[in-house]
Amino acid sequence: MINNLGFKGTSRYQEALSGMVGAALALAFGELVASATNKTTSLVLAVGEFIVDITPGDVVRTSIETLGNSQKIVLLSSITILSILFGGFLGLLSQRYSDLSYTLFILFGVFGGWTLNRDPLTSTTAALSLSAMATLIGLSAFVFLNNVLDQPASTNFEDPKHRYADRRQFLSWATGISVAAGTMTGAGRFLLKDDTVQSIREKIVLPTIEEKTSLENSASTSTDLSSSVTTTLPDETDFLTFSEMNEIKGISPYITPNKDFYRIDTALRVPTIEPAEWSLTLDGLVENPYELSYEEILEMDLTKKDVTLTCVSNEIGGPLVGNAVWTGIPLSDIISRSKPLSRAQQLMCHSVDGFTAGFPIENIFDGRTALLAVGMNGRPLPVIHGFPARLVVAGLYGYVSAVKWIKRIELCTWDGNDGYWIPRGWSKKAPIKISSRIDVPRERKINSGINAIAGVAWAPLSGVKTVEVSFDSGPWEECNLGVSLSGESWTQWAYKWDAVPGRHEIKVRAIDNNGVVQSSSIASPAPNGAEGYHQISVRVV
Ligand SMILES: Nc1nc2c(c(=O)[nH]1)N[C@H]1C(S)=C(S)[C@@H](COP(=O)(O)O)O[C@H]1N2
Ligand SMILES: [Mo]
């Protein structure tokens, strides 16, 4: 506003501030309602989901597939900051074109509501009411602060003291509303309903399952291996026991503890599902569509299998792989009961969060482990790993099979039915490639003399037959292997190396039980998994 002496009565930053505070309040209200009710996603998250969805797969394929927690935080903070900056722009605009700026503010709210309505976990009613209320509250604060700004502080414009008084009043309102916004966001975090599901989960006791072999005892000594076993102990003597292998400092334990298991998903908000309100639907090209409740699943014939799960985005030597004991129902049982039509080719699996993945129906009848899993390492699935139920299919990358928070299995054809990642540039079929990783030594500087070189290797479904290491591009030398309970899980390996001073390059490769040697060509993760040998360089002193 221009006063009669030609001075601006307010500074630019104050003008911007009114819009920023309005936007912040609207977002904060969204956070509060989302956390307190668990019936809707927050506005910031909904916009984040929209951005993740529209980002072209071939541009940032890998970074989105492996959208890590830190990237999620960066995304959500950027949205928050940009929205508040946009509010600032509207604030500046409002000084000249107030109607236009208020209209844009409302349109911004409509956009938020629209993204919210796309979110599979939010009902249309919830999306509409939350966005309408957030917009109204934000806009009211915006208009109100503008009015405070516009109030002539005094008729005596020459007295600077009065202008300060005016500004002080505005600032205290702006601060007050910002504090309210902060409190709302904080209170929302405090109220988060996730705890309910977490405590329900903690009370669940999975039915005990018949132990199958004697391997169990040797296995359970050093890690929490409450596993069942699919094969017998190999009789070759160069196999080391679990405890011997796990004694090597720094090697990945044979069973990855739940807390260390890698996590990959597109979920900006982890779905929290109460088992009593959940069911799994089987439908599509079937004669007998039906539903299963959590309770019914626990009463069925549960089995335990150890299966290595890995992400297609895992780089050579990367951390996105783990081996766990999964408790669940064979998918073959569940699918047979639905009586698939002969036209059915693919199992399209849907998560409550909208994620989908599809894989060949043959894979559940070809003898491999393919489970509707409810347990991980003897405990109900952790919430981030898919509670109450997920799929685990041996030998297939996670993005085509391992759907977490599953709610529906739809039988369909290959044509015209693609899982989430397929249009984003990843292959439709994705068997896990033979791979090996060096875990030890973790340090890049080691002492000369006897050192352990050790790690893990996996080659589903046939299993790892041999692991070899090569020093400074010299001949391949055979390593000792740890016991692997089946071809579906990884194998620990170790090599006793008499290190001589100097710089050395060490690389590793695996050979599977069919004699297939791990590929030496270099391939990046997209479109169907990385290839190449993991190599480290150490300095021996
Ligand atoms: N609902 C849902 N399930 C999902 C995904 C996802 O984004 N959403 N990602 C898949 C991918 S790409 C992988 S590698 C595995 C990872 O499972 P984890 O997080 O339990 O290790 O989950 C799969 N299941
Ligand atoms: Mo993945």
Side-chain angles (χ1 to χ4, degrees):
M1 115 185 161
I2 312 284
N3 65 31
N4 59 356
L5 292 175
F7 292 122
K8 287 202 108 198
T10 57
S11 69
R12 294 231 132 202
Y13 98 89
Q14 283 175 311
E15 293 165 8
L17 203 58
S18 59
M20 290 167 91
V21 172
L25 190 66
L27 296 183
F29 181 74
E31 295 301 311
L32 175 66
V33 174
S35 320
T37 66
N38 208 19
K39 291 264 180 294
T40 162
T41 289
S42 85
L43 288 163
V44 174
L45 272 176
V47 173
E49 285 170 354
F50 170 69
I51 292 173
V52 169
D53 271 3
I54 58 160
T55 308
D58 48 353
V59 177
V60 272
R61 233 183 249 168
T62 315
S63 80
I64 286 195
E65 215 269 345
T66 56
L67 200 74
N69 278 327
S70 55
Q71 284 154 296
K72 287 177 185 175
I73 291 166
V74 170
L75 175 68
L76 298 178
S77 334
S78 315
I79 293 168
T80 310
I81 292 166
L82 284 177
S83 308
I84 293 175
L85 287 179
F86 183 68
F89 161 75
L90 294 184
L92 291 175
L93 191 70
S94 68
Q95 299 306 307
R96 249 160 214 264
Y97 308 101
S98 58
D99 288 352
L100 176 63
S101 83
Y102 296 152
T103 311
L104 286 175
F105 193 96
I106 293 170
L107 283 178
F108 196 50
V110 170
F111 169 70
W114 176 76
T115 59
L116 203 52
N117 191 38
R118 294 172 74 256
D119 174 71
L121 295 169
T122 307
S123 71
T124 305
T125 329
L128 283 180
S129 30
L130 172 59
S131 54
M133 279 163 75
T135 312
L136 191 70
I137 292 174
L139 186 62
S140 310
F142 183 15
V143 174
F144 170 76
L145 287 174
N146 268 345
N147 286 342
V148 176
L149 273 186
D150 285 344
Q151 259 161 35
S154 155
T155 41
N156 181 1
F157 290 106
E158 273 156 306
D159 182 354
K161 249 198 232 142
H162 289 283
R163 288 232 306 277
Y164 282 132
D166 179 27
R167 176 187 286 187
R168 222 176 282 142
Q169 196 191 5
F170 169 80
L171 279 184
S172 51
W173 275 112
T175 316
I177 299 173
S178 306
V179 169
T183 313
M184 276 184 179
T185 312
R189 295 282 176 280
F190 188 71
L191 284 171
L192 260 187
K193 279 283 152 82
D194 293 13
D195 295 357
T196 324
V197 169
Q198 197 52 267
S199 63
I200 293 176
R201 178 191 165 263
E202 267 151 31
K203 290 194 195 97
I204 296 171
V205 180
L206 295 175
T208 40
I209 294 157
E210 289 276 305
E211 318 286 3
K212 282 177 190 147
T213 78
S214 57
L215 237 192
E216 190 103 10
N217 300 331
S218 65
S220 56
T221 46
S222 68
T223 44
D224 176 27
L225 259 191
S226 42
S227 73
S228 93
V229 160
T230 45
T231 58
T232 47
L233 189 69
D235 40 33
E236 283 96 320
T237 45
D238 49 347
F239 282 91
L240 300 179
T241 66
F242 293 99
S243 25
E244 283 166 328
M245 271 295 180
N246 286 325
E247 266 163 34
I248 299 173
K249 203 171 153 267
I251 197 171
S252 304
Y254 178 72
I255 294 294
T256 315
N258 289 353
K259 64 172 182 18
D260 298 333
F261 209 94
Y262 81 94
R263 172 195 168 193
I264 290 291
D265 52 64
T266 57
L268 294 177
R269 166 167 82 126
V270 177
T272 48
I273 305 163
E274 295 191 25
E277 288 167 11
W278 171 92
S279 69
L280 174 69
T281 305
L282 284 108
D283 63 4
L285 300 177
V286 297
E287 241 172 74
N288 174 39
Y290 70 101
E291 272 184 36
L292 272 177
S293 71
Y294 189 68
E295 226 168 280
E296 284 171 310
I297 292 171
L298 294 196
E299 280 160 13
M300 289 167 76
D301 211 359
L302 292 164
T303 54
K304 271 182 176 183
K305 290 286 169 69
D306 50 287
V307 173
T308 292
L309 184 64
T310 178
C311 182
V312 70
S313 297
N314 196 34
E315 303 278 353
I316 292 300
L320 306 179
V321 55
N323 192 45
V325 184
W326 307 94
T327 307
I329 314 292
L331 279 172
S332 50
D333 292 359
I334 291 175
I335 300 301
S336 302
R337 188 173 145 196
S338 73
K339 301 210 172 71
L341 303 178
S342 57
R343 273 183 297 143
Q345 296 171 315
Q346 187 178 202
L347 260 65
M348 186 55 73
C349 307
H350 302 254
S351 162
V352 298
D353 69 357
F355 180 83
T356 51
F359 59 94
I361 188 167
E362 301 93 87
N363 289 166
I364 63 171
F365 296 113
D366 62 9
R368 76 178 72 205
T369 298
L371 292 181
L372 170 70
V374 291
M376 183 173 181
N377 294 332
R379 297 288 306 133
L381 286 177
V383 173
I384 56 165
H385 294 293
F387 182 76
R390 73 172 307 167
L391 297 191
V392 174
V393 182
L396 300 183
Y397 283 119
Y399 82 101
V400 291
S401 64
V403 175
K404 305 191 273 190
W405 315 290
I406 191 166
K407 70 159 188 205
R408 175 177 176 219
I409 301 178
E410 177 197 10
L411 276 81
C412 62
T413 55
W414 282 108
D415 264 2
N417 296 297
D418 285 339
Y420 183 89
W421 285 113
I422 314 309
R424 292 168 172 83
W426 297 85
S427 301
K428 222 160 152 156
K429 293 195 182 175
I432 294 175
K433 294 179 179 176
I434 305 177
S435 205
S436 48
R437 183 177 76 194
I438 303 172
D439 292 336
V440 179
R442 301 239 172 212
E443 302 78 34
R444 290 300 167 253
K445 193 174 127 193
I446 58 174
N447 292 326
S448 61
I450 298 295
N451 278 276
I453 310 296
V456 284
W458 57 99
L461 300 165
S462 81
V464 173
K465 177 154 188 266
T466 319
V467 174
E468 296 172 332
V469 286
S470 153
F471 299 89
D472 304 315
S473 298
W476 289 102
E477 312 203 21
E478 200 170 327
C479 304
N480 270 307
L481 296 189
V483 177
S484 175
L485 300 185
S486 85
E488 297 175 341
S489 32
W490 66 14
T491 305
Q492 294 168 306
W493 59 267
Y495 185 88
K496 221 167 148 186
W497 182 42
D498 193 359
V500 292
R503 179 168 286 288
H504 300 283
E505 302 287 330
I506 309 169
K507 57 182 182 233
V508 64
R509 70 175 187 185
I511 298 163
D512 79 3
N513 278 310
N514 297 327
V516 181
V517 182
Q518 180 180 341
S519 162
S520 62
S521 60
I522 311 247
S524 54
N528 60 10
E531 286 171 32
Y533 295 156
H534 187 209
Q535 179 169 332
I536 63 166
S537 145
V538 291
R539 198 154 64 84
V540 179
V541 291

